[in-house]
Amino acid sequence: MTDQASTVDMENADIPGKPTAASRTTLSHIMTHSDTNLLGTVHGGVIMKLVDDAAGAVAGRHSGGPAVTASMDEMAFLEPVRVGDLVHVKAQVNWTGRTSMEVGVRVLAERWNESAPATQVGSAYLVFAAVDADGKPRRVPPVVPETDRDRRRYQEAQIRRTHRLARRRAIMELREKRAAEGYED
């Protein structure tokens, strides 16, 4: 682990870690005509809601209470989803910070009436913040990667976090610079 990950682990040292499998979940839903867009395929927003629902369940399970969507780093649509597809949304916590968690999501689809294997049709990375009853951030247990795949996902999540923070910092610096130059945004 990196020094940053070790620091985060030390901050949450008094909270027992949870293995990745403890909160992993799959949400399945059959797509109907009410889920379609003007092109006759399933609307991306329907898939995004399923992704957010599954990721929220995982974040709540891992953190032991309410968690809210803080951001969606990426949502990739790889293949169209059709009416009659049985969609499986698989989610797990990839990484944890002090009060936040990255949840990775894979979206698979298979025909409801065929025995062919499911095909990956999408993927997403979301960040959730654990909150208390007043909506204030609360600490989360560290995630304990169990497999080589889980460890790879943990490391990749740290890279995404580094990029997310750098992007936010660069945008704030640009806004401050423009404000100092008299530009109104």
Side-chain angles (χ1 to χ4, degrees):
M1 285 190 202
T2 66
D3 290 338
Q4 184 177 0
S6 298
T7 302
V8 169
D9 292 343
M10 294 305 290
E11 290 175 1
N12 288 353
D14 59 329
I15 301 175
K18 287 187 177 181
T20 306
S23 57
R24 190 178 287 144
T25 195
T26 300
L27 181 146
S28 297
H29 188 81
I30 193 157
M31 298 291 108
T32 66
H33 287 288
S34 64
D35 300 317
T36 60
N37 59 25
L38 295 174
L39 299 174
T41 57
V42 172
H43 195 286
V46 170
I47 300 299
M48 290 175 76
K49 179 170 183 345
L50 293 173
V51 164
D52 192 45
D53 287 346
V58 166
R61 279 183 176 181
H62 183 83
S63 69
V68 296
T69 311
S71 70
M72 179 181 278
D73 275 1
E74 183 177 319
M75 176 75 211
F77 297 99
L78 306 173
E79 299 284 336
V81 177
R82 301 172 293 159
V83 169
D85 281 353
L86 181 57
V87 172
H88 308 285
V89 183
K90 298 176 177 268
Q92 76 171 48
V93 173
N94 290 337
W95 175 89
T96 54
R98 195 174 65 79
T99 62
S100 64
M101 302 155 275
E102 182 195 90
V103 179
V105 181
R106 290 179 58 225
V107 183
L108 305 151
E110 61 181 312
R111 294 304 295 165
W112 69 273
N113 60 348
E114 296 176 8
S115 59
T119 303
Q120 185 171 352
V121 296
S123 65
Y125 299 102
L126 297 89
V127 176
F128 279 78
V131 294
D132 63 17
D134 297 321
K136 303 290 184 211
R138 62 183 174 80
R139 291 177 51 200
V140 299
V143 67
V144 180
E146 302 170 283
T147 66
D148 285 340
R149 179 183 244 181
D150 292 340
R151 284 184 280 282
R152 175 187 56 79
R153 288 178 176 168
Y154 185 94
Q155 291 170 331
E156 289 173 358
Q158 288 179 302
I159 293 167
R160 281 187 291 275
R161 181 175 188 271
T162 299
H163 286 260
R164 191 171 47 252
L165 294 174
R167 183 178 61 237
R168 182 180 303 147
R169 191 170 34 256
I171 288 169
M172 295 310 291
E173 288 171 3
L174 177 62
R175 288 180 181 176
E176 288 171 9
K177 179 182 177 219
R178 288 181 53 80
E181 293 171 351
Y183 292 102
E184 291 184 35
D185 286 337

